[in-house]
Amino acid sequence: MVAILICVTLGAVIGLLYQSPWLQRLVSLIQKYIVYLLIFFMGVGIGLDEQLISNVGRIGIGAAVFAVLCGVLSAFCTLAFDRAIRRGRGKRS
Amino acid sequence: MILPVILCLLAGVLFGALLRTGGLIFDTDAVTMPVLWVLVLAAGIDMGNMIRKNGWRSLLESAREAVSALLGTFTGTLLAGGLAGLLLRMTMNRALAVSGGFGWYTLSSVMLSQMDSPELGALAFLSNVFREVLAFLLIPLLAKKGWKASCISVAGATSMDTTLPVVSRCCGSETAAASFVHGLLFTFLVPVLVPVLYSLPV
């Protein structure tokens, strides 16, 4: 977590102090392509984890129920809160 | 973006399985962590550029997204935990504790293995891994609909690290700032929430 905090702070400082078209192009390229590398290696980690793969059959359905419900309900609750906050702001202004 | 995400993930799982069956040892963390650092650094530069361009007020504007995402993630995840508990006939405290990992699979699985059983730890691990995978798939779809705050909440605690680059790419740097704050807060909350939820008398 410390490394992540350092990276994001360092990045924000670089972005605040230095702005150039080539840097923006580089950031855009990194975000466009390297993100796939991250997802690929996340998959490699899953494929390599013998315990995880062997547990998929036994507790996979339960885990999938948890994951789907958590993801979907979080998204919808957030949407509801977001709309309520926007409506509240609209009334005040 | 969704198709390349699925293809990359499947290719990775297949490659990992091939390495495992071939008896080859490969430390994915040694590669994943530097890649993640570069991506987070890039997201940080994007945020810095956004502040330089639009001023500090732009950060305040992303606060609404952060607040909605925080409330939505908390409520939605606990509701989901309760519902999953009913569907899978689990005691409510165990189900809530599993969902209370908010996507942080390494920590919640270790905590629940110690507090309850390796079985519940494995369920927490797998469900939170699935949540992260689901986030990679859902973020591009939700961003297309314009539901930027929902993109953050799907990711849970991972919105400050692994899913941050995807949020930044699909929703822009304002949402990335909100995503980082959201993930950071949940990273502090999970170690407290999992034991609290597990000890609930329900």
Side-chain angles (χ1 to χ4, degrees), chain A residues 3-84:
Chain A
I4 296 289
L5 276 172
I6 292 170
C7 285
V8 82
T9 313
L10 185 70
V13 171
I14 294 171
L16 266 171
L17 299 176
Y18 189 71
Q19 197 169 28
S20 76
W22 77 263
L23 184 66
Q24 277 179 334
R25 247 196 328 269
L26 182 71
V27 166
S28 162
L29 277 175
I30 288 172
Q31 288 183 334
K32 204 169 179 180
Y33 297 109
I34 297 190
V35 78
Y36 294 123
L37 203 65
L38 179 77
I39 295 167
F40 174 78
F41 281 112
M42 210 189 118
V44 175
I46 294 172
L48 275 171
D49 197 326
E50 198 168 352
Q51 215 181 350
L52 195 143
I53 297 291
S54 61
N55 276 331
V56 166
R58 197 165 50 90
I59 48 172
I61 292 170
V65 168
F66 267 101
V68 171
L69 285 175
C70 284
V72 171
L73 285 181
S74 291
F76 279 109
C77 284
T78 301
L79 187 70
F81 279 116
D82 200 44
R83 286 189 176 161

Side-chain angles (χ1 to χ4, degrees), chain B residues 134-174:
Chain B
L134 190 72
F136 280 120
L137 303 177
L138 284 181
I139 291 168
L141 290 177
L142 294 170
K144 244 186 204 170
K145 279 186 140 303
W147 299 1
K148 290 183 177 179
S150 297
C151 292
I152 303 171
S153 64
V154 166
T158 64
S159 69
M160 73 168 280
D161 44 51
T162 45
T163 48
L164 178 67
V166 188
V167 172
S168 179
R169 197 191 145 182
C170 296
C171 308
S173 43
E174 278 106 342

Side-chain angles (χ1 to χ4, degrees), chain B residues 85-102:
Chain B
L86 288 175
L87 286 172
L88 302 170
R89 292 181 183 163
M90 286 170 71
T91 54
M92 207 45 76
N93 65 322
R94 293 172 87 226
L96 288 173
V98 169
S99 66
F102 291 97

Side-chain angles (χ1 to χ4, degrees), chain B residues 79-123:
Chain B
L79 272 176
L83 197 61
L86 288 175
L87 286 172
L88 302 170
R89 292 181 183 163
M90 286 170 71
T91 54
M92 207 45 76
N93 65 322
R94 293 172 87 226
L96 288 173
V98 169
S99 66
F102 291 97
W104 191 355
Y105 48 86
T106 43
L107 184 80
S108 60
S109 61
V110 172
M111 286 176 98
L112 289 174
S113 291
Q114 285 169 352
M115 286 189 287
D116 190 278
S117 59
E119 180 104 10
L120 195 69
L123 181 64

Side-chain angles (χ1 to χ4, degrees), chain B residues 183-195:
Chain B
L184 191 66
L185 278 169
F186 275 104
T187 301
F188 287 117
L189 269 176
V190 170
V192 183
L193 269 178
V194 171

